[in-house]
Amino acid sequence: MYINQLIWIVILSFMTFTGCSGGQDIAKFKEGLVPVKGIINIDDKPVEGTQITFTPEETGAGRFAIGVTDETGKYHMMSPPGGSNIKPEDFPGVKPGKYRVTFSRFLLENGSVWDSRNSEEGPMNVGAKETIPVKFTNANTTSFTADISPTGNEALDFRVKSMAKR
């Protein structure tokens, strides 16, 4: 299994078991989230379909947050709980704290972006290839970090080199 798929499985499992399990109050889950958005440039260009994940540096110091870039490279972070019928966009923001930041962007053979939200198959099953170097797709090896202030971060931009530029 590809490392990025494994990371997403772990994140979603963690969110499922710690998020809404036991009937957690959704309104309470939104408390304390602050806005975080920015632009991700891959090889000095804003690109669509780059997934960004914030992983808390310390256990219990925050919670996972996710985002995906649009066609202009803009993203906004969301911290959804796990569970069925949950829309990530209903949980905008991030808990303040320090995070390790990872990126992932799979491209299909025809050059289009593989979208996990619209695919029933994993990226490797449909011939998609990761374009971000492995060290930036793993929270244990990434050099990217984010320190989210109690008021949020409205312009948290990142510049990443793809494997094509290495």
Side-chain angles (χ1 to χ4, degrees):
M1 181 177 293
Y2 193 76
I3 189 92
N4 196 45
Q5 287 176 299
L6 182 59
I7 290 170
W8 277 104
I9 289 168
V10 170
I11 289 170
L12 294 174
S13 296
F14 174 80
M15 292 168 80
T16 298
F17 292 115
T18 61
C20 286
S21 60
Q24 183 171 353
D25 181 11
I26 296 297
K28 187 169 183 131
F29 200 83
K30 294 180 181 184
E31 288 178 7
L33 297 179
V34 296
V36 175
K37 61 185 176 180
I39 297 174
I40 299 172
N41 285 291
I42 307 292
D43 299 331
D44 298 320
K45 297 178 193 166
V47 293
E48 180 179 15
T50 302
Q51 296 179 355
I52 179 172
T53 303
F54 285 11
T55 303
E57 283 190 358
E58 296 180 32
T59 304
R63 76 176 175 247
F64 289 94
I66 56 173
V68 178
T69 58
D70 65 14
E71 62 279 353
T72 65
K74 293 179 183 175
Y75 73 92
H76 66 277
M77 298 304 289
M78 301 163 284
S79 297
S84 59
N85 301 321
I86 296 295
K87 294 179 185 171
E89 59 272 12
D90 290 342
F91 299 87
V94 177
K95 288 277 193 181
K98 295 184 181 211
Y99 295 86
R100 294 191 165 276
V101 181
T102 57
F103 307 91
S104 179
R105 184 169 189 260
F106 282 93
L107 292 181
L108 297 167
E109 290 178 7
N110 66 7
S112 64
V113 176
W114 174 82
D115 185 352
S116 62
R117 298 165 295 177
N118 298 319
S119 180
E120 293 184 17
E121 299 225 31
M124 295 180 75
N125 291 343
V126 295
K129 299 207 185 301
E130 177 64 76
T131 62
I132 305 295
V134 172
K135 73 178 188 174
F136 302 133
T137 66
N138 184 319
N140 293 319
T141 59
T142 186
S143 57
F144 290 95
T145 61
D147 190 359
I148 306 305
S149 77
T151 58
N153 298 67
E154 296 287 329
L156 188 57
D157 299 341
F158 295 96
R159 293 188 179 280
V160 182
K161 295 288 183 194
S162 73
M163 286 196 270
K165 294 287 182 174
R166 294 240 159 252

